């Protein structure tokens, strides 16, 4: 399960890994927390107009990566808070989809870090542990038939503390193509520049490894 603050963050953070997993037959579900309606400097486009465009972009990227399902939570962009309601939304999805691995933004990146990213990471971590795990956390979810679920591990993208480098040498091209689906976000960057920048970053992330290109994460084992 990939929990992304905005449409496009998951492609920057984890699309190469997602493409590798789906290629191996792993089911991947995306949870998109906000509608991304503040994500433009184009003042000819209203937030109301931007929302469906960004959803379409996200769906196109997910399709290209072989993602099985995309769940949109439709929170307003820049509108996330660490609330019991948001946490419960994520717990509910964890109990429905029962992911082995949950991937999201690192909440502990320092200083200039989008508030939605920080909050998505924190709330998702809390939802995994302990709220999705514990029987008495949500008696009403139990009554709905949503039993506790233990997630095996979590991967946090955009981390300052990389301890896991995921080989995306064979899926880099699909990461790039998925990223290009987000035209409102990367459409203004010359295509060659985007590829060069991305390749450079992924190559640097793979330094010291036996493969050429990597996405970097902080990996935490929750249950073995
Ligand atoms: Zn974002």
């Amino acid at each position: 399960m990939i929990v992304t603050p905005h449409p496009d963050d998951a492609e920057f953070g984890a699309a190469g890994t997602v493409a590798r997993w789906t290629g191996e037959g792993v089911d991947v579900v995306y949870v998109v927390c906000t509608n991304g309606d503040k994500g433009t400097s184009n003042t000819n486009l209203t937030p109301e107009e931007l929302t469906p465009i960004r959803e379409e972009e996200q769906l196109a990227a997910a399709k290209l990566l072989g993602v099985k399902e995309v769940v949109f939570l439709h929170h307003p962009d820049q509108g996330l808070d660490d609330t019991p309601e948001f946490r419960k939304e994520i717990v509910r999805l964890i109990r429905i989809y029962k992911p082995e691995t949950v991937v999201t933004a690192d909440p502990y990146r320092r200083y200039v870090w989008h508030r939605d990213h920080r909050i998505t990471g924190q709330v998702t971590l809390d939802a995994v542990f302990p709220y999705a795990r514990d029987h008495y956390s949500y008696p009403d979810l139990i009554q709905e038939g949503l039993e506790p679920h233990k997630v095996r591990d979590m991967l946090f993208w955009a981390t300052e503390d990389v301890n896991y480098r995921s080989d995306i040498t064979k899926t880099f091209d699909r990461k790039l193509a998925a990223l290009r689906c987000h035209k409102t976000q990367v459409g203004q960057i010359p295509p060659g520049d985007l590829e060069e920048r991305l390749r450079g970053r992924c190559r640097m992330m793979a330094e010291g490894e036996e493969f050429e290109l990597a996405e970097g994460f902080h990996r935490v084992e929750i249950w073995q």
Side-chain angles (χ1 to χ4, degrees), residues 88-123:
K88 189 173 177 182
E89 265 188 304
I90 305 293
V91 169
R92 176 188 293 279
L93 292 167
I94 290 169
R95 290 189 180 186
I96 291 171
Y97 289 99
K98 300 180 172 54
E100 256 178 54
T101 300
V102 173
V103 188
T104 189
D106 191 322
Y108 304 121
R109 193 181 173 93
R110 286 172 295 179
Y111 305 112
V112 183
W113 191 217
H114 198 300
R115 180 176 163 77
D116 289 339
H117 294 195
R118 196 181 307 125
I119 288 173
T120 298
Q122 185 67 62
V123 168

Side-chain angles (χ1 to χ4, degrees), residues 152-156 161-164 217-221:
R152 186 192 63 190
D153 62 352
M154 292 187 73
L155 298 176
F156 296 95
D161 183 12
V162 173
N163 66 357
Y164 174 66
F217 300 95
H218 188 79
R219 178 171 181 268
V220 178
E221 278 189 18

Side-chain angles (χ1 to χ4, degrees), residues 5-9 114 117:
H6 309 105
D8 84 336
D9 296 319
H114 198 300
H117 294 195

